[in-house]
Amino acid sequence: MDAMERVRAMRIGRGERAPRKPLLLLFALGRFQRDGGAPIPFATAEDPVDALLHRFASAQRYGGAHHPFHHLANDDRLWTVETPQGPGSPGPSARTLRSSRATGRLHPELLRELAADPGLPARLVRFLLAEHFPAQQHADICREVGLDPAQAA
């Protein structure tokens, strides 16, 4: 299964709009374009991802950054979480992720695919935006996560 198929198969809430994981992936893709595949400390991601959730996903209903940060790792080869003690998320709570100094990153296989196919990031961005967000939000989301809004077109 390639990267696009894995993103399409990502488990999200059923029967209602649940863009938590897509927003985290978009945030991570923005970081990838700026910093490569470097790990993203939860403490660094928490505030900006919370802001994205509040603005584009009604975070009161969907919780905070800790939810997708922990749960996206359960989807096939998209995201990994680790602590200084080793691989695996220490748990879903923000307090636990912070205190354990958890970091997340795009899965190594996804990073290899992104590096091998320069057009893949833009295709993933377009798919995530089209599938999970109204068109009028696409450019704003791109700007918020540090992606070129032209990728949404």
Side-chain angles (χ1 to χ4, degrees):
M1 188 181 307
D2 71 11
M4 186 61 78
E5 292 168 323
R6 292 194 312 275
V7 169
R8 280 189 179 107
M10 180 174 47
R11 291 180 298 275
I12 58 169
R14 300 291 176 229
E16 60 185 80
R17 188 169 164 268
R20 292 177 294 185
K21 289 178 183 178
L23 279 170
L24 178 60
L25 264 181
L26 289 164
F27 175 81
L29 288 167
R31 291 285 300 252
F32 170 77
Q33 289 197 336
R34 288 186 310 279
D35 306 328
I40 305 167
F42 177 72
T44 300
E46 185 176 17
D47 287 343
V49 174
D50 276 347
L52 288 167
L53 291 169
H54 281 290
R55 182 157 180 209
F56 301 107
S58 180
Q60 291 82 9
R61 184 170 185 183
Y62 296 114
H66 56 286
H67 285 277
F69 200 93
H70 167 79
H71 291 290
L72 185 57
N74 295 325
D75 286 284
D76 188 26
R77 294 169 288 149
L78 294 175
W79 181 254
T80 62
V81 178
E82 60 184 47
T83 68
Q85 290 70 44
S89 178
S93 82
R95 178 178 290 139
T96 302
L97 289 164
R98 264 187 248 111
S99 67
S100 65
R101 299 189 329 266
T103 61
R105 68 186 312 168
L106 296 172
H107 190 279
E109 185 170 328
L110 180 54
L111 288 170
R112 282 191 295 278
E113 290 172 90
L114 290 166
D117 180 354
L120 181 59
R123 288 194 309 275
L124 292 175
V125 167
R126 283 191 302 273
F127 172 79
L128 288 165
L129 291 170
E131 188 71 16
H132 299 285
F133 304 96
Q136 65 268 24
Q137 292 181 337
H138 293 183
D140 290 338
I141 291 170
C142 284
R143 278 190 286 278
E144 294 280 332
V145 299
L147 291 165
D148 180 355
Q151 287 188 340

